[in-house]
Amino acid sequence: MPSMMVGSIFSGITNLDFGKHIDASTAKSYKAGDSIMVKAGGWAWAGGGRNIVRVDLTGDNGETWTTAEIQQGGDQKFGRAWAWVFWSCELPATIQDDGTVHVHSKALDHAFNVQPEHCRHTWNIRGLGNNSWHSKHMK
């Protein structure tokens, strides 16, 4: 297997919660197919010192995307972005048949590299180099 010289672009959702005006008891009154607002936060990083330009999130499996606000790390020097950036976002999410919401994130760097939806094109036995959309589920 060839060496990996520069890391890919990654993002991760570290926290997911109900949006404004919704709490756990209110959320139970919604049914499958309804859309609710959720708040998400997380991190993103790209190898080779490439700056993170944008992080997008979807709550409807990629039909629509909402751009996150970069909270920290967005001021790193061009081409010298060695640290994570932290982001937050409020977005609509569709309630699934099992009562959960699925939120996915993908990042974009200054070379226009973007995370792929899945890793079928880079699959390998050890899972190396998998940088597909990050997903988090909430019930």
Side-chain angles (χ1 to χ4, degrees), residues 25-85:
S25 61
T26 308
K28 292 180 192 293
S29 66
Y30 291 96
K31 61 185 181 306
D34 286 349
S35 182
I36 63 170
M37 294 301 288
V38 296
K39 293 184 294 187
W43 57 270
W45 177 83
R50 295 183 310 269
N51 300 69
I52 296 294
V53 174
R54 194 175 76 217
V55 178
D56 296 326
L57 290 99
T58 182
D60 57 12
N61 293 317
E63 293 293 319
T64 60
W65 293 89
T66 302
T67 300
E69 181 179 335
I70 295 178
Q71 303 289 323
Q72 279 184 290
D75 58 350
Q76 298 177 66
K77 291 182 180 178
F78 182 79
R80 299 184 57 90
W82 308 114
W84 295 353
V85 298

Side-chain angles (χ1 to χ4, degrees), residues 9-123:
I9 184 168
F10 297 92
S11 68
I13 302 168
T14 55
N15 57 315
L16 186 60
D17 203 355
F18 296 107
K20 295 176 187 170
H21 312 296
I22 298 175
D23 58 27
S25 61
T26 308
K28 292 180 192 293
S29 66
Y30 291 96
K31 61 185 181 306
D34 286 349
S35 182
I36 63 170
M37 294 301 288
V38 296
K39 293 184 294 187
W43 57 270
W45 177 83
R50 295 183 310 269
N51 300 69
I52 296 294
V53 174
R54 194 175 76 217
V55 178
D56 296 326
L57 290 99
T58 182
D60 57 12
N61 293 317
E63 293 293 319
T64 60
W65 293 89
T66 302
T67 300
E69 181 179 335
I70 295 178
Q71 303 289 323
Q72 279 184 290
D75 58 350
Q76 298 177 66
K77 291 182 180 178
F78 182 79
R80 299 184 57 90
W82 308 114
W84 295 353
V85 298
F86 297 97
W87 52 264
S88 66
C89 185
E90 189 160 356
L91 68 146
T94 303
I95 298 176
Q96 305 298 308
D97 292 335
D98 63 357
T100 62
V101 293
H102 302 180
V103 176
H104 310 282
S105 69
K106 66 177 180 177
L108 175 83
D109 69 18
H110 77 243
F112 297 103
N113 296 310
V114 67
Q115 289 177 259
E117 181 177 359
H118 49 75
C119 65
R120 285 182 224 128
H121 65 289
T122 59
W123 184 90

